[in-house]
Amino acid sequence: MSDEEEPEKPTPSRGRAKGKSTAHKKRAETYNIYIYKVLKQVHPEMGVSKRAMFILNSFVHDIFDRICSEAAKLCQYSHKQ
């Protein structure tokens, strides 16, 4: 082996270090804006509280899950995907 040393590579001045990742918080998907838009179409003068919005969001999410599970069952029955 030779006694010569390899030249050091310059470190990047911008960006993050290689191999390190930053943890990003996953955004919670809600139906809040859609519920609010429909409310304003039906009753433009009305508002909705945070608690009521949470309840409506849970309701819509539950109904969506039920529709998805029923669609999956129907696909199984008809042997389609």
Side-chain angles (χ1 to χ4, degrees):
M1 288 197 192
S2 64
D3 292 331
E4 294 178 21
E5 294 182 21
E6 292 182 15
E8 290 185 31
K9 294 181 181 178
T11 58
S13 60
R14 286 187 271 169
R16 58 189 158 112
K18 200 173 192 180
K20 292 186 178 181
S21 63
T22 57
H24 291 285
K25 186 177 180 182
K26 187 175 179 181
R27 294 178 65 178
E29 295 193 8
T30 63
Y31 300 98
N32 293 353
I33 54 174
Y34 310 109
I35 292 169
Y36 190 76
K37 285 180 181 180
V38 171
L39 175 68
K40 287 300 168 184
Q41 286 178 353
V42 178
H43 294 289
E45 71 283 348
M46 302 254 330
V48 62
S49 67
K50 284 184 183 180
R51 186 173 180 195
M53 185 61 80
F54 179 77
I55 292 168
L56 287 170
N57 191 48
S58 298
F59 174 75
V60 173
H61 188 74
D62 183 53
I63 294 298
F64 183 74
D65 282 344
R66 289 183 191 193
I67 290 171
C68 288
S69 63
E70 192 64 31
K73 287 179 190 175
L74 290 172
C75 285
Q76 263 186 337
Y77 293 152
S78 63
H79 303 291
K80 292 182 183 178
Q81 286 184 333

